[in-house]
Amino acid sequence: MDFRNKTLSTVEAKKLDIVSYLSSLGYQPFKIKNVDYWYCSPLRKEHTPSFKVNQKLNLWFDHGLGKGGTLIDFGILYHSCTVSEFLQKLYSNFSLQQPTILPSNKSISTESKIKILGDFPITSPSLLRYLEERKIHLEIAKQFCREVRYEINGKTYFGIGFKNDSGGYEISNPYFKTSSSPKDITTINNGSNEANVFEGFIDFLTFKETTKNLPEKGQDFVVLNSIALFERARPFMEKHNIINLYLDRDISGINCTQRALSMNPKYKDESSIYENYKDFNDWIMNASKPPKKNLGRKL
């Protein structure tokens, strides 16, 4: 998408993720159930969340108002403006608000209910190849992950499962990314005063891979499992004296990092290490030579 134009088109605006846009306005979900994000309505005062965003469809509905629609429909109500004024506002404030562009459907949690059938050691050849392509050794993955078999609409699938603090799984395979309920962050508490924060578990595993030959420092870790869960992770993160952020270098990740830096001096942005890449794993997979700035570790 080219943002050098003087305004955004309605087609471009509708591709912007409503969840990320609400986050840029300061609104965080009170509850996440599969692809449904529930908020106290930004359009009126309420104490019981009744404003829902279906992230797969990228549509919202306010049950109290009986209204819903696209990001544009929300914007003209929230800002009390016309469509053209909202499109101009999106463009002019983009450097500050920076909502993310929706990814392809394969990286959005399925709306169908996932039933976990069991978890096992990682042995499937396709998953082993997937780890190899991601430059993650099995010895690292098996410390934190399991091979998960799950069912959707009567069909059985499998993937690498990474458990969150509430017992749900983040699941990834070469073709599909999804998650089982309940959705939550993953914390690893080693009693350290320093925490490293990642957006997804593949980046966390990559970090562990790159530091496996170093003495164990007992650092704590937070895997958000969704940028929308940043607020939920803050109580754990802010117990630490130093919080190193290794978030994605996309629009929502950069926006979240900038907001964190403005909130508390404990937060440190480490994403400049891979500033020319999408995320930590993308850097390790694709960098032909180490960037000038590095972790100070032998990779």
Side-chain angles (χ1 to χ4, degrees), residues 119-251:
D119 63 271
F120 314 89
I122 303 171
T123 58
S124 294
S126 64
L127 298 183
L128 297 177
R129 286 194 299 271
Y130 177 61
L131 289 172
E132 183 178 358
E133 291 169 358
R134 293 284 181 170
K135 297 189 181 298
I136 299 168
H137 284 90
L138 179 61
E139 290 72 19
I140 295 294
K142 70 182 183 181
Q143 293 179 43
F144 306 98
C145 302
R146 301 280 284 174
E147 181 170 323
V148 173
R149 312 279 172 81
Y150 59 99
E151 182 180 283
I152 303 177
N153 296 329
K155 294 184 178 181
T156 301
Y157 304 89
F158 62 92
I160 296 172
F162 180 75
K163 188 172 283 189
N164 65 41
D165 287 356
S166 294
Y169 278 101
E170 296 300 311
I171 305 170
S172 184
N173 64 38
Y175 313 105
F176 192 72
K177 295 179 183 179
T178 188
S179 59
S180 67
S181 296
K183 184 82 172 180
D184 202 356
I185 64 173
T186 302
T187 57
I188 299 175
N189 190 349
N190 293 313
S192 174
N193 65 358
E194 184 174 350
N196 295 325
V197 184
F198 301 88
E199 199 165 323
F201 77 90
I202 294 295
D203 290 326
F204 163 67
L205 295 179
T206 305
F207 181 90
K208 296 297 289 185
E209 177 72 35
T210 62
T211 60
K212 65 183 178 183
N213 294 324
L214 293 177
E216 176 60 49
K217 294 183 178 180
Q219 292 174 310
D220 292 352
F221 296 92
V222 181
V223 182
L224 299 176
N225 296 320
S226 169
I227 199 70
L229 297 182
F230 183 86
E231 288 296 320
R232 186 179 299 182
R234 283 184 65 187
F236 179 84
M237 292 189 296
E238 293 177 8
K239 291 178 182 179
H240 299 81
N241 296 333
I242 301 173
I243 311 164
N244 300 312
L245 299 176
Y246 294 89
L247 303 185
D248 291 1
R249 294 290 299 180
D250 59 10
I251 293 169

